[in-house]
Amino acid sequence: MALKKCKTKGEAKDKIKVSSSDVSRHTENVIPESFNRESALRIIDANLNRCREGLRAVEDGLRFVLNDSFLYKKIRRIRHSVDKILRSSYDELIKERDSFDDSGRKMPEISKKELAGIITANFKRTQESLRVLEEYSKTLFPKASADFKKRRYAAYNAEKSVYLKHRKFLLQTKCKRADGTTPTKKSLR
């Protein structure tokens, strides 16, 4: 692959030029033979769990720390509605679960010590898992895909509601910049 410089203002400084031989070399065996119904079920099961866990972490922060019954109930409704989408397929999903042999099981987690970090990370976890559910459910449960998309947008809106309502509290938490300094309230505005 050759690197091509852009000369016009506003364009990215570097573009990657891809030849047709590069494309054919990187597209062979894109879908491994091991990708089958069971693999898709494992992906869906893992992401259903991840989504519900993320929503529950946000829900509990709103309920027990911020004492916001309106928003915690909104998050709870989203969590319950996600759970209902594939409840009739629970038996099929859980049969394919393989927690002990999951290669991601022992990956280290980044610790979060502030409520803002916990809430933000769990909203992102939820939204990402809903996107995965939306995509992979198209292969096995096509009608569920639109429901997952609807819940993903509900999660985006809920995150905005939480941020706007509790912005002052969330921004007061201690956060450090990449250089190790703590921003002042003035720089957070």
Side-chain angles (χ1 to χ4, degrees):
M1 280 188 261
L3 196 58
K4 181 181 173 184
K5 295 278 184 185
C6 295
K7 295 182 180 174
T8 59
K9 188 176 182 178
E11 284 187 298
K13 292 187 180 194
D14 297 319
K15 281 191 176 179
I16 298 175
K17 185 177 177 184
V18 180
S19 71
S20 59
S21 64
D22 292 328
V23 172
S24 63
R25 183 176 57 215
H26 294 293
T27 57
E28 294 173 19
N29 299 323
V30 171
I31 301 175
E33 290 179 20
S34 63
F35 185 76
N36 51 28
R37 182 175 184 82
E38 292 78 19
S39 299
L41 288 168
R42 284 186 67 207
I43 291 168
I44 292 169
D45 179 56
N47 281 281
L48 275 170
N49 291 334
R50 183 177 294 121
C51 178
R52 290 186 301 249
E53 292 163 359
L55 287 168
R56 188 54 184 246
V58 171
E59 182 184 326
D60 284 350
L62 289 167
R63 181 178 175 191
F64 297 113
V65 179
L66 296 173
N67 297 312
D68 189 327
S69 65
F70 175 77
L71 286 174
Y72 118 72
K73 288 175 183 174
K74 184 176 185 176
I75 299 298
R76 183 178 180 188
R77 281 191 300 275
I78 296 169
R79 181 170 56 84
H80 284 231
S81 68
V82 166
D83 188 54
K84 288 178 184 175
I85 294 171
L86 289 178
R87 186 175 288 164
S88 63
S89 302
Y90 177 76
D91 186 55
E92 187 178 14
L93 290 165
I94 202 156
K95 282 179 183 175
E96 297 306 324
R97 187 178 295 170
D98 190 7
S99 303
F100 292 108
D101 291 328
D102 184 344
S103 60
R105 181 176 174 211
K106 295 183 181 182
M107 288 180 62
E109 299 242 351
I110 298 169
S111 66
K112 294 157 211 70
K113 295 181 180 173
E114 301 293 338
L115 180 65
I118 293 169
I119 287 177
T120 301
N122 281 285
F123 265 123
K124 299 306 176 201
R125 174 178 288 126
T126 295
Q127 294 154 2
E128 291 167 359
S129 63
L130 284 166
R131 181 58 183 208
V132 172
L133 288 163
E134 180 184 338
E135 293 298 327
Y136 281 91
S137 66
K138 290 174 184 176
T139 64
L140 302 178
F141 309 104
K143 291 180 182 177
S145 181
D147 290 333
F148 287 124
K149 182 177 184 178
K150 186 189 291 185
R151 296 331 179 276
R152 181 166 54 92
Y153 280 93
Y156 292 146
N157 289 330
E159 180 183 26
K160 181 178 180 180
S161 296
V162 169
Y163 177 77
L164 291 176
K165 186 171 182 182
H166 297 287
R167 181 177 181 220
K168 192 173 185 177
F169 175 80
L170 295 173
L171 292 177
Q172 286 177 355
T173 59
K174 296 176 187 171
C175 54
K176 295 209 184 248
R177 294 184 177 134
D179 64 4
T181 63
T182 303
T184 63
K185 284 184 181 181
K186 186 176 180 180
S187 68
L188 290 173
R189 287 187 201 149

